[in-house]
Every structure is written in C-alpha cells, then in structure tokens.
Amino acid sequence: AQSVTQLDSQVPVFEEAPVELRCNYSSSVSVYLFWYVQYPNQGLQLLLKYLSGSTLVKGINGFEAEFNKSQTSFHLRKPSVHISDTAEYFCAALKTSYDKVIFGPGTSLSVIP
Amino acid sequence: DGGITQSPKYLFRKEGQNVTLSCEQNLNHDAMYWYRQDPGQGLRLIYYSQIVNDFQKGDIAEGYSVSREKKESFPLTVTSAQKNPTAFYLCASSMNRGRTETQYFGPGTRLLVL
C-alpha cells in the first residue's frame, strides 16, 4: 500500500530563517503530490501540487517544492519564514488512477520571533 | 462567496448517543468527502460520495453513516457504535473525483465525548 512519510513531526525555526519540511512517498509508479497547510482550528488549504512537467513547483505564500523521483521525495521549502507561517503542514499523494488521496501525518511548523 | 461550511464548530456527545455533523457546499462540486483527524495521524477517509444518492466507504467507516440526498449536502452521523469518536472532523469537496482535482476543505467540527 502506498504511504506518505513526514519525518519531522515538529519543526521550530526563527523568523526570517529558511525552512525545509520533508516528505517521502512509497510508490513504484508515478504519483501526483500535494502540500496542504492547516492553521489552528481550521480546515486544510492547498499550498501547491505537482502533476507533471517541471519538478520545481511554486505555490502560495512564497512556498515551493521539488519533486525528486529517484529519492521519492517532495520536500517543501521557503527561503524566509514569517510568524504567520506557523501552522500544520500535510503532504499528500495520489496514484495515477482514480484512487483516494493519502495524507502524511503532518509537520507542525513553529516560527519563533 | 463560494465555499464549504460545517456546523457546529464544537459538538458534545453523550454515551450511546448518535450525533450528526453538517457539511454544505455551494461550489457546485460533484464529489464530497469526510475525514477524521487525530493528533499525529494525519487525515483518514471515512466516507466519500462522487454523485448524489451514491457514497462509498473509506478506510474507517465503521461506526459512521452518511447520506447524499442533495448535491450540496453530505451530513455525517457518528453512531453509538463508534467507541472512540473524539476527533476533529473535516469535510471536503472537489469538482469531481478525478486524480488531479484539488480538494477544498471546510473549517471542521471538533467532537468531544461527555
């Protein structure tokens, strides 16, 4: 069965510092990949998604992610974080078929002033 | 404004009681989903519906029931058979159940057991 792993459950980072949130998926076939953000007591909002084409995907709020097929990774990055980026971040994957989305366990990003 | 609404924001359930969580969307989306969120476990799919009057079980459907009588509504009932219902419940919708379709989420309902 396909799974999505987010190695870091919590990531503290100082304001204006860069951050990388790691995501790995297990699949022997091509996948579609997503990053969602969840602010406290709210639903999830799509940050970006990789469907095909360029492996570097840019999303909202200055985030970007790079698809690496050989390492089965889809890490999320931001060069300079703000206090408002404090939230839970979920990586998700979908196989190239009409299958359900698989969510990772989430990474809690805390931006320290 | 188009979007998804869930009510109530907080819901309390007594032992042996059935409770219903509301989910409404005005995005004209065909597909709707219910997820359960527990700390450190991400989201798990309870039920989904691709079209009116049709729905399918997800990974953790036991103890839950749904209906899809209208396109815009997909209520979830947590029955007394669900022994550990305390969680954050998220409803989502997508234009159709295609593999690349973005899911749009509601604000969630937190269910607590008295």
Side-chain angles (χ1 to χ4, degrees):
Chain A
Q2 180 170 251
S3 66
V4 176
T5 305
Q6 293 180 245
L7 294 173
D8 306 302
S9 60
Q10 295 183 336
V11 174
V13 62
F14 285 104
E15 192 175 14
E16 297 184 4
V19 70
E20 179 180 82
L21 306 183
R22 295 181 291 171
C23 173
N24 289 86
Y25 63 92
S26 63
S27 176
S28 60
V29 299
S30 298
V31 295
Y32 298 114
L33 297 158
F34 306 79
W35 274 101
Y36 284 87
V37 60
Q38 183 181 31
Y39 298 104
N41 295 311
Q42 294 186 27
L44 278 67
Q45 178 184 1
L46 182 70
L47 275 178
L48 48 80
K49 62 182 178 182
Y50 170 78
L51 305 180
S52 64
S54 173
T55 57
L56 183 63
V57 180
K58 294 189 182 297
I60 62 171
N61 300 340
F63 284 94
E64 63 181 33
E66 186 159 18
F67 171 59
N68 188 318
K69 188 174 182 179
S70 63
Q71 297 185 5
T72 60
S73 68
F74 190 55
H75 301 332
L76 181 70
R77 302 186 183 99
K78 186 170 182 178
S80 175
V81 295
H82 302 134
I83 295 291
S84 59
D85 292 324
T86 295
E88 191 87 11
Y89 291 80
F90 292 93
C91 183
L94 180 63
K95 289 192 293 186
T96 53
S97 62
Y98 279 68
D99 203 353
K100 63 179 182 287
V101 177
I102 305 296
F103 286 88
T107 295
S108 178
L109 174 65
S110 298
V111 180
I112 305 163
Chain B
D1 289 337
I4 302 177
T5 57
Q6 290 185 244
S7 61
K9 188 172 183 178
Y10 296 95
L11 185 59
F12 297 92
R13 194 191 90 163
K14 296 179 181 178
E15 291 288 339
Q17 184 183 36
N18 293 354
V19 293
T20 298
L21 285 62
S22 169
C23 177
E24 304 276 333
Q25 55 98 359
N26 61 3
L27 300 167
N28 199 32
H29 285 171
D30 287 320
M32 296 187 74
Y33 313 80
W34 273 107
Y35 292 93
R36 170 177 170 142
Q37 184 178 20
D38 294 282
Q41 293 191 43
L43 278 67
R44 292 182 290 170
L45 184 65
I46 305 172
Y47 269 98
Y48 64 93
S49 168
Q50 299 180 61
I51 197 169
V52 175
N53 292 323
D54 181 67
F55 48 83
Q56 306 294 328
K57 292 182 179 180
D59 298 320
I60 54 167
E62 185 174 352
Y64 300 96
S65 66
V66 294
S67 63
R68 186 86 186 278
E69 298 177 1
K70 298 186 294 183
K71 186 176 185 178
E72 59 270 22
S73 178
F74 192 40
L76 173 74
T77 296
V78 184
T79 73
S80 57
Q82 172 50 245
K83 298 305 179 186
N84 184 25
T86 298
F88 192 49
Y89 291 86
L90 288 164
C91 179
S93 71
S94 63
M95 191 175 298
N96 55 59
R97 192 170 174 263
R99 54 183 179 262
T100 64
E101 289 298 330
T102 299
Q103 293 188 19
Y104 294 83
F105 286 81
T109 292
R110 190 166 298 280
L111 177 60
L112 302 167
V113 177
L114 295 176

